Amino acid sequence: MASDWIKRGLVLASLMAAGGSLSAQVVVPALDPTQPTLSAGAAGWREGDVVGSSYSDHSGSRKVGDLEVIKYTGGRLTGLVGVQFSTLAVELSSTGDRPNTKPGTGFDHPVTLKRDRQRASFSVLGSDFANLGLRTETDSKVQWMSATAVQVKTKLDKTAGDLSVKIGDSFYAGGGYAKVKEKSDLTVDNNWTETMAGVGLRFGAPGGSRFRVEVGWINAGKAVQSAYLTKAQAVHPATDTQLASLELEISGLLFSASSAVEEENVTLIDPVSGQSSGVTRNSSRGGVLWVPKEGMVLGFAFGNEKVSQLYTETFSDFEVKLGYLF
Amino acid sequence: MKHLWLLLLGVGLALNPGISWGQVVTPAIDPARPSKLAAASSWRFGTSVAMATQFGGQKTDQQKVPDHNFGSSGLLVIQPSAITIELASNGSDDLAVWDATSDLLYPSSQNESSGSIAVRGEGRVSVGLGGISRAKESRGIFRQQSGFGGSFGFRLGEGFFGAVGMNRITEKVAAVEDKQWNEMLGGLALVYGDPDSSMFRLEGSLVSSPLVAGGTGLETIHHKTWEQNADLELLWSRWYLSAGSTTTKTFPALVREGDQHLTRIRYGLGYRKLSFSLIFYRTLADEQLGSKMYKERGYGATLGFGFL
């Protein structure tokens, strides 16, 4: 039973590696300057230097059928710096997750104990027409898997190249390609590729009334590595993610909404009931933020998330944001 | 001047509890009353420091607690520009709380500290963040609550205001699982006039908090509550008059409990100009569960200094 949950946990871990607080920022950055972008090319379209931070507090549960098996609580701290030079834009961000859920005696469900992500994006700016970006990301996680695997470390290293093109005054389009390497205490090393694409519209100038909408897609390939010596087989299923983001800013007051749907091309079989299930993750966020042309940025956001597979996990979170635009 | 500030802040924060009727949409004309939502503090009239204290008696059909100090509070507002920072502290070490089920009064202590930062945009919108820490002790149960929240407010026309916000609260009680809930706040207000001469303010607001129950013991329960506030203030040639009410309905969490209704009424009279305010209050509170009644009668005073 425990090994089944380990496999399920690794599947979920892979899924979550692509996730976090996903918001469509593949080709143009959010009007909320405290949000890290998903691609370096998008970060190049930032309209000023920024220092940002946010703290979110979440709670949730995992249910198997109607039975609640885990309660989740925890916090996430994010920091971001975005600066622009004459032809180069740099964005650095770091996110730390600190769940409070502690496995107890008789516990047989994988639980994330700690997670840290660091991202660095570098974008070469091309005459207000195209940005060529390079991005690196490290995602480290410590998970409790079973009574015999209490501190399983998993690390993902992602290197991505991307392009974002501006057509006319307001239309943006682009895409990118990423190579992902995974190392785990439990499984053999694995690697796979990711492609992303997006289109977006952004109207208005900083400090005034503005509007932004973007849709994006991320696809990750399937990768299987055979077991070797003491390490188990590594499986990363193919995943499809659809992203959408909508923002409206009126005289500095920004209202934002975003959604993400991630589907994993895998069929899981419950070892007890024999019931089969795919893996889907739906998340949505909404927020209010004060964004001046220059000065202090502050606001808050709400989020909801649901993971459906052999079990169902639901989360809700509340996030406060504070930053400064230079 | 610097030393005066430090002295006033020190006195205010040391005194603790008292008159802490929070304002959800707009700050009260009485500058000593703190804002429940950070976004409300944006509409304050400059930097100020204030303190308050309250006395009174409490009784049920069977018990009576003679007049004593309910507690005191201190407030510091720093408003250098479009940014407003508000720090508040209030508490009481000598308050009795009514247990409606047993109809008995129990000794209690309550302390609360809060801080907020808000930004006002073009005199039309306000966005704020706040943090709060509360400690409550009664019947041997020590509850430590901490939380943070976000809010935004707006002004339409000359004097119509609205605001909504949320506080996310975490409660820790020894030996039981931590509880978390979201406290939702919202309201509307009308404010006209000049705080240094004549002014009118009318505000209505709602605060709701859900039931969180991890068991049947008192320490495992946070009751669902629904609070309605109404506040009317008049400033006429710097003379201050006010009337306000807060009605709190506490919903039952257990079969043995019933709906509790607490109504607090307050009347204020005093003098207020931008640099100085002194206001006296009369407070009346009645709480009911079936035929059981709890009564509280109090007197209070607030003192404020403004530095616009």
Side-chain angles (χ1 to χ4, degrees):
Chain A
M1 185 66 177
S3 63
D4 294 326
W5 284 111
I6 289 173
K7 286 176 188 169
R8 293 177 206 174
L10 289 173
V11 167
L12 183 64
S14 304
L15 185 67
M16 290 186 72
S21 261
L22 277 180
S23 158
Q25 294 185 83
V26 177
V27 291
V28 61
L31 301 181
D32 170 1
T34 66
Q35 270 196 39
T37 53
L38 284 180
S39 77
W45 297 119
R46 282 188 178 274
E47 292 160 316
D49 296 341
V50 65
V51 177
S53 64
S54 73
Y55 176 77
S56 72
D57 189 85
H58 72 260
S59 58
S61 66
R62 181 186 297 176
K63 284 186 174 179
V64 180
D66 292 329
L67 181 67
E68 184 178 279
V69 293
I70 306 180
K71 266 189 177 176
Y72 294 107
T73 59
R76 170 182 294 167
L77 189 63
T78 299
L80 175 140
V81 177
V83 290
Q84 286 191 347
F85 304 97
S86 59
T87 56
L88 179 71
V90 179
E91 182 184 299
L92 306 172
S93 67
S94 178
T95 301
D97 284 28
R98 296 294 177 269
N100 294 327
T101 307
K102 300 285 184 290
T105 308
F107 210 77
D108 67 348
H109 301 270
V111 172
T112 298
L113 305 173
K114 182 183 173 187
R115 186 179 181 195
D116 291 295
R117 278 164 291 174
Q118 285 86 37
R119 296 167 173 168
S121 297
F122 305 92
S123 180
V124 178
L125 313 177
S127 306
D128 199 33
F129 166 66
N131 295 333
L132 189 61
L134 173 69
R135 180 163 173 253
T136 64
E137 179 176 335
T138 303
D139 187 341
S140 306
K141 191 180 304 190
V142 180
Q143 287 182 296
W144 187 98
M145 288 296 183
S146 69
T148 56
V150 296
Q151 293 267 326
V152 177
K153 291 177 186 164
T154 307
K155 187 180 178 190
L156 295 181
D157 286 306
K158 183 188 289 187
T159 307
D162 56 74
L163 178 72
S164 176
V165 178
K166 183 179 177 185
I167 301 165
D169 289 335
S170 308
F171 182 74
Y172 299 79
Y177 176 86
K179 190 82 179 169
V180 186
K181 293 180 180 175
E182 180 191 63
K183 283 182 180 296
S184 168
D185 290 348
L186 275 187
T187 61
V188 295
D189 294 355
N190 199 1
N191 64 81
W192 61 89
T193 58
E194 258 181 32
T195 54
M196 65 167 77
V199 290
L201 288 166
R202 183 173 71 177
F203 297 98
S209 292
R210 314 180 73 192
F211 173 75
R212 173 186 168 271
V213 62
E214 180 174 338
V215 291
W217 301 268
I218 302 174
N219 297 308
K222 181 178 179 181
V224 180
Q225 305 294 334
S226 303
Y228 182 70
L229 298 176
T230 57
K231 291 209 168 179
Q233 181 192 44
V235 179
H236 177 266
T239 61
D240 298 315
T241 306
Q242 291 101 45
L243 308 162
S245 175
L246 180 69
E247 293 174 292
L248 177 65
E249 185 179 333
I250 304 165
S251 301
L253 188 66
L254 174 69
F255 298 92
S256 67
S258 63
S259 72
V261 179
E262 301 172 48
E263 290 182 350
E264 194 165 332
N265 298 327
V266 66
T267 303
L268 302 175
I269 308 292
D270 190 298
V272 178
S273 65
Q275 188 182 0
S276 64
S277 169
V279 179
T280 308
R281 183 174 183 229
N282 288 280
S283 60
S284 58
R285 298 193 72 72
V288 179
L289 201 77
W290 172 248
V291 188
K293 189 174 181 181
E294 215 177 81
M296 191 166 68
V297 175
L298 88 168
F300 55 95
F302 305 89
N304 285 295
E305 188 177 313
K306 183 177 182 182
V307 180
S308 305
Q309 53 149 301
L310 292 176
Y311 51 74
T312 304
E313 287 185 322
T314 52
F315 299 91
S316 67
D317 75 86
F318 181 60
E319 182 180 24
V320 290
K321 303 176 175 204
L322 191 61
Y324 199 89
L325 272 169
F326 298 93
Chain B
M1 177 60 80
K2 186 180 175 186
H3 290 94
L4 175 64
W5 269 55
L6 291 173
L7 176 66
L8 292 172
L9 176 63
V11 169
L13 296 185
L15 280 172
N16 269 333
I19 295 169
S20 59
W21 311 313
Q23 319 306 306
V24 171
V25 187
T26 53
I29 296 175
D30 176 356
R33 286 154 62 175
S35 304
K36 265 193 173 179
L37 278 184
S41 64
S42 272
W43 311 116
R44 283 189 178 275
F45 300 96
T47 296
S48 63
V49 62
M51 60 203 72
T53 190
Q54 194 180 5
F55 296 83
Q58 300 167 276
K59 70 173 187 178
T60 65
D61 292 339
Q62 303 174 37
Q63 286 177 289
K64 185 175 182 181
V65 181
D67 285 0
H68 62 289
N69 182 224
F70 284 172
S72 307
S73 64
L75 177 74
L76 174 66
V77 176
I78 302 168
Q79 193 177 51
S81 56
I83 295 172
T84 307
I85 295 168
E86 185 173 316
L87 304 171
S89 174
N90 73 80
S92 169
D93 293 325
D94 190 22
L95 200 65
V97 294
W98 183 49
D99 175 56
T101 307
S102 61
D103 198 14
L104 292 172
L105 292 169
Y106 292 92
S108 168
S109 68
Q110 298 182 15
N111 291 282
E112 180 176 308
S113 299
S114 62
S116 69
I117 182 167
V119 174
R120 187 178 66 245
E122 299 180 3
R124 288 287 162 198
V125 296
S126 168
V127 180
L129 304 177
I132 193 164
S133 173
R134 300 175 186 138
K136 299 180 179 179
E137 194 279 328
S138 179
R139 302 177 66 179
I141 300 171
F142 182 76
R143 297 173 190 264
Q144 183 71 47
Q145 295 178 353
S146 60
F148 63 99
S151 53
F152 88 95
F154 60 85
R155 184 173 79 168
L156 295 177
E158 193 60 32
F160 181 72
F161 294 80
V164 293
M166 190 183 101
N167 291 323
R168 189 165 175 88
I169 309 291
T170 300
E171 182 179 272
K172 293 179 185 296
V173 180
V176 300
E177 196 173 359
D178 292 356
K179 295 183 280 297
Q180 278 188 318
W181 64 88
N182 296 334
E183 189 178 80
M184 307 297 296
L185 306 95
L188 297 170
L190 289 170
V191 182
Y192 294 95
D194 177 355
D196 205 25
S197 58
S198 297
M199 198 172 177
F200 164 82
R201 174 178 170 271
L202 175 64
E203 177 173 319
S205 65
L206 298 170
V207 181
S208 77
S209 182
L211 169 71
V212 182
T216 56
L218 275 180
E219 68 278 13
T220 65
I221 295 172
H222 167 74
H223 284 87
K224 177 182 176 180
T225 58
W226 179 255
E227 181 183 302
Q228 296 169 302
N229 296 293
D231 208 14
L232 173 65
E233 292 179 289
L234 288 169
L235 191 66
W236 186 259
S237 300
R238 294 180 171 172
W239 288 101
Y240 174 91
L241 274 173
S242 73
S245 77
T246 300
T247 305
T248 307
K249 183 177 179 182
T250 303
F251 293 85
L254 303 170
V255 176
R256 65 173 184 265
E257 297 177 329
D259 285 359
Q260 274 179 246
H261 296 267
L262 168 66
T263 304
R264 289 184 184 279
I265 308 284
R266 55 193 174 268
Y267 303 102
L269 175 66
Y271 181 80
R272 195 246 201 255
K273 61 178 184 174
L274 267 181
S275 59
F276 170 78
S277 68
L278 178 62
I279 296 166
F280 297 96
Y281 287 95
R282 170 67 167 154
T283 61
L284 314 167
D286 294 313
E287 189 165 13
Q288 192 167 9
L289 173 64
S291 60
K292 301 171 196 167
M293 285 288 291
Y294 159 78
K295 288 182 185 292
E296 186 183 296
R297 301 289 180 261
Y299 300 90
T302 68
L303 178 65
F305 298 91
F307 307 92
L308 189 66

